[in-house]
């Protein structure tokens, strides 16, 4: 089955540690996205990538980093510089047809930093 | 910043009733999309309506788009308890590849 896999489902870290969230897709989509969701809130865009080896900042990129070395993979690193990292993180992908293709989402990683 | 704003923020209805959610946005769009999110899960795409369309149907879903008012509505007819979820509208920020989501409407359908 085609889809997006995010791992792990739950992640716990101590303050000051960097942590990397995994996102893999087998839909052959060019575009991939990372969103952050806080309780009762909408989604805020962290980073997105339209093609391998290229990515752009979203609205809340500070304290996060990404890489896009392979089409299937778009890992997100939450660095110690992110002031409030506890949140639900969602990865998505779409075919590159700007605005005309729906996003397919993974089931998220819930990160708790104490 | 949010491109879309849904209202109401929360909606509670009985099974069999219709549910209507509204979305307002700020800039010109190519299309508007609606998504559903069950608690603790990822979002699922429901329907996409293009800027030159005024109404679109998919099963029990009916979406309207009024570009002059920069607004859209999602109607779920004959709701079921399984429709309980949060519903989000999303649009691309003008001339960018950034898909921006609204704040969502939490729908509760009681059996």
């Amino acid at each position: 089955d085609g889809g997006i896999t995010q791992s792990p489902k739950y992640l716990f870290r101590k303050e000051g540690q960097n942590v990397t969230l995994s996102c893999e897709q087998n839909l052959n989509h060019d575009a991939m996205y990372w969103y952050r969701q806080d309780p009762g809130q909408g989604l805020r865009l962290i980073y997105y990538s339209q093609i391998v080896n290229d990515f752009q900042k979203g609205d809340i990129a500070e304290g996060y980093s990404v890489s896009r070395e392979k089409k299937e993979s778009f890992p997100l690193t939450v660095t110690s510089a992110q002031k409030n990292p506890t949140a639900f993180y969602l990865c998505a992908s779409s075919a590159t047809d700007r605005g005309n293709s729906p996003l397919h989402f993974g089931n998220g990683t819930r990160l708790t930093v104490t | 910043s949010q491109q879309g704003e849904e209202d109401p923020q929360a909606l509670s209805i009985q099974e069999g009733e219709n549910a209507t959610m509204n979305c307002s946005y700020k800039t010109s769009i190519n299309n508007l999309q609606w998504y559903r999110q069950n608690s603790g899960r990822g979002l699922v795409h429901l329907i996409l309506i293009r800027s030159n369309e005024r109404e679109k149907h998919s099963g029990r879903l009916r979406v309207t788009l009024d570009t002059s008012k920069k607004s859209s509505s999602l109607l779920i007819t004959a709701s079921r308890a399984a429709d309980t979820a949060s519903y989000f509208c999303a649009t691309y920020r003008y001339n960018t590849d950034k898909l921006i989501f609204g704040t969502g409407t939490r729908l509760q359908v009681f059996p």
Side-chain angles (χ1 to χ4, degrees):
Chain A
D1 280 340
I4 297 186
T5 301
Q6 289 188 245
S7 61
K9 188 174 173 70
Y10 298 97
L11 193 52
F12 298 88
R13 280 292 183 271
K14 295 286 188 188
E15 201 173 302
Q17 293 179 334
N18 291 356
V19 59
T20 298
L21 282 58
S22 169
C23 177
E24 303 279 332
Q25 55 103 355
N26 60 5
L27 297 166
N28 200 33
H29 284 165
D30 287 311
M32 296 187 76
Y33 308 80
W34 274 105
Y35 289 89
R36 169 185 171 136
Q37 186 176 33
D38 293 283
Q41 303 290 314
L43 280 67
R44 291 186 290 168
L45 182 63
I46 304 173
Y47 269 99
Y48 64 104
S49 168
Q50 295 292 324
I51 198 168
V52 174
N53 291 323
D54 189 39
F55 48 82
Q56 286 78 39
K57 293 181 180 180
D59 294 326
I60 56 164
E62 186 176 347
Y64 300 97
S65 66
V66 292
S67 63
R68 187 84 188 279
E69 296 175 3
K70 297 187 300 182
K71 188 175 186 177
E72 313 82 60
S73 179
F74 191 40
L76 173 74
T77 297
V78 184
T79 75
S80 56
Q82 168 50 233
K83 292 185 174 59
N84 188 16
T86 294
F88 188 49
Y89 291 88
L90 286 159
C91 179
S93 72
S94 72
T96 42
D97 182 12
R98 182 203 283 183
N100 292 319
S101 298
L103 264 59
H104 297 253
F105 280 84
N107 277 324
T109 292
R110 190 168 298 280
L111 173 65
T112 303
V113 177
T114 58
Chain B
S1 62
Q2 300 290 348
Q3 165 74 326
E5 298 287 338
E6 287 93 336
D7 89 275
Q9 287 189 330
L11 181 60
S12 294
I13 58 175
Q14 296 290 132
E15 257 187 335
E17 294 180 340
N18 295 343
T20 299
M21 289 157 265
N22 302 297
C23 168
S24 60
Y25 58 91
K26 296 175 183 172
T27 64
S28 299
I29 59 171
N30 291 327
N31 63 57
L32 185 142
Q33 304 179 35
W34 284 92
Y35 289 79
R36 165 196 168 122
Q37 183 182 33
N38 285 67
S39 181
R41 308 277 290 183
L43 279 70
V44 174
H45 180 259
L46 294 176
I47 199 163
L48 181 153
I49 185 166
R50 302 188 193 286
S51 59
N52 61 354
E53 297 175 309
R54 291 297 165 258
E55 188 170 313
K56 200 161 182 180
H57 296 254
S58 176
R60 293 184 295 113
L61 305 181
R62 173 178 166 251
V63 168
T64 61
L65 179 64
D66 186 337
T67 52
S68 67
K69 294 182 179 177
K70 291 188 168 60
S71 68
S72 174
S73 67
L74 170 66
L75 168 68
I76 304 174
T77 59
S79 62
R80 305 166 182 168
D83 294 327
T84 294
S86 292
Y87 293 82
F88 295 89
C89 67
T91 59
Y92 279 88
R93 189 167 290 152
Y94 183 70
N95 213 28
T96 75
D97 294 312
K98 298 180 180 180
L99 185 63
I100 305 300
F101 286 79
T103 50
T105 292
R106 292 186 304 280
L107 174 66
Q108 175 84 49
V109 182
F110 292 99

